Amino acid sequence: MTATGLRRATGAPRSCGTRRRPGPAVAGPGALGVADLEAAAARIAPHVVRTPLLRGPVPAAHGSGLLLKAEHLQLGGSFKTRGAANAVLALGADRVVTGSSGNHGIALARLARSLGIRLTVVLAAGAAPAKAAAVRALGADIVRVAGGVAERDERARALADETGALLVPSSDHPLVVAGQGTVGTELLTDAPGTETVYVPTGGGGLLAGVCLAATGLPVRVVGVEPALTPRYARSLAVGHPVRLPPSTTVADGLRGQRPGHVPYPIIRDRVDDMIAVGEAEILAAAALLDRHGVHAEPSGAVALAGALRAGRRERAVAIVSGGNTPARLHTPTPHHSGTHTGPTVKEYTS
């Protein structure tokens, strides 16, 4: 699968305030910007760690400039903890409902248990059994629905309406996007010479957040989607959000069927390229990471797969978005709090 036709051949990255192409108005984030990311970082600090950058396992043809933002080491095993914490802490609630492919549910369940919140997580039919078990073990109620992500999210909205609970989507909410954007703020602070950031893309919250973090900076932002579910690439190509059928991609955390109303306009106005990667490329990237001591789930390896497909000799960062493999979920991990205090860039040990 080749990259989509969105790439700009030359020139500095587009600023967040410049539209890429005309399109219909989409309900969006309002004045969401860098200040919201700063507020999110302060709000969630006690509930997350500042994850390190790792030097990536890169073939010689790709140069030596690739780093990995290690969100698989985040509390809860993925970047989802950032957005979940920002929304829950900012809004306050004693009952929360969400739809999740697994990692967002795990992140919310950890928070709910520590804050005394009742949580219901709606899972689609294809949710990974190990992730569902982890959500249940953390004390959340689980509701299963037939169909895909769209049906899951529709059921979550209905449950929130029926019960009066706070709905915290996995990506389509300004506070969630702002929380996810702290990933971008950290990596661009720790690696200020970065030329390109490769971002795994499902619902789009992380990609939108990184776009916000890159406001005014000379850095390319590239979203990477599984070729089986290129919902953002297709939407950007036609100029409005489109809905795709349910996907069976091995990257189970990236099975979103439609761009979110909040992330879409941010991504439309700032993203520099979208790359699609095949199933074999995703699994190969995950295997490469594993051989170098980075135990990422397939969704967490998608950005690296995109960087390898791009093949550019550049100073780049690929976000390893999650590490909730079945093996990890069956192995209890100690609780940590506060910020990461180790070196900003770590070396691999193979």
Side-chain angles (χ1 to χ4, degrees):
M1 179 65 68
T2 60
T4 72
L6 300 174
R7 182 187 298 115
R8 294 201 308 280
T10 59
R14 190 182 302 271
S15 71
C16 286
T18 304
R19 285 186 56 166
R20 172 176 296 279
R21 57 179 61 78
V26 179
L32 193 63
V34 174
D36 297 281
L37 274 60
E38 295 171 350
R43 185 178 293 122
I44 69 178
H47 300 273
V48 301
V49 295
R50 186 186 183 99
T51 54
L53 292 171
L54 307 176
R55 297 198 183 279
V58 182
H62 294 269
S64 59
L66 182 66
L67 299 173
L68 305 174
K69 178 61 170 170
E71 283 296 294
H72 66 295
L73 301 179
Q74 186 55 257
L75 304 184
S78 81
F79 77 98
K80 292 289 189 179
T81 295
R82 297 171 182 265
N86 195 42
V88 168
L89 296 171
L91 297 174
D94 57 9
R95 184 168 185 177
V96 171
V97 172
T98 193
S100 173
S101 297
N103 284 347
H104 180 65
I106 291 170
L108 274 174
R110 291 184 71 257
L111 286 164
R113 185 173 66 174
S114 65
L115 299 174
I117 296 170
R118 181 177 176 183
L119 173 66
T120 300
V121 179
V122 182
L123 298 172
K131 291 181 179 178
V135 170
R136 185 179 292 109
L138 287 164
D141 298 323
I142 288 179
V143 173
R144 291 185 175 274
V145 296
V149 172
E151 290 78 13
R152 177 201 77 188
D153 290 345
E154 288 167 7
R155 181 60 177 143
R157 283 191 293 270
L159 274 176
D161 289 341
E162 293 166 10
T163 63
L166 172 67
L167 178 65
V168 179
S170 61
S171 60
D172 199 11
H173 191 287
L175 287 165
V176 173
V177 169
Q180 317 304 32
T182 62
V183 176
T185 301
E186 288 181 8
L187 73 85
L188 292 171
T189 298
D190 293 343
T194 298
E195 296 171 285
T196 301
V197 182
Y198 293 92
V199 188
T201 307
L206 180 58
L207 179 56
V210 173
C211 283
L212 291 171
T215 299
L217 298 177
V219 58
R220 297 174 68 246
V221 179
V222 177
V224 187
E225 296 178 296
L228 292 181
T229 180
R231 85 298 283 161
Y232 273 94
R234 292 193 182 177
S235 297
L236 292 170
V238 300
H240 61 82
V242 298
R243 175 170 163 174
L244 302 185
S247 171
T248 57
T249 176
V250 67
D252 64 287
L254 306 181
R255 290 177 178 171
Q257 293 172 242
R258 185 183 189 279
H261 293 293
V262 173
Y264 176 76
I266 299 171
I267 293 168
R268 176 196 63 203
D269 294 346
R270 177 58 174 88
V271 76
D272 292 277
D273 197 6
M274 296 296 304
I275 294 177
V277 291
E279 300 294 278
E281 291 174 290
I282 296 169
L283 292 173
L288 178 61
L289 289 172
D290 189 68
R291 289 196 300 272
H292 288 79
V294 176
H295 307 302
E297 58 191 280
S299 299
V302 163
L304 175 60
L308 295 175
R309 168 170 276 280
R312 295 166 60 100
R313 296 184 65 87
E314 60 185 351
R315 295 186 299 277
V317 178
I319 299 174
V320 182
S321 55
N324 282 326
T325 62
R328 172 173 176 160
L329 291 172
H330 285 114
T331 303
T333 55
H335 174 75
H336 299 282
S337 62
T339 57
H340 173 78
T341 57
T344 298
V345 179
K346 290 187 173 181
E347 300 283 354
Y348 275 117
T349 55
S350 57

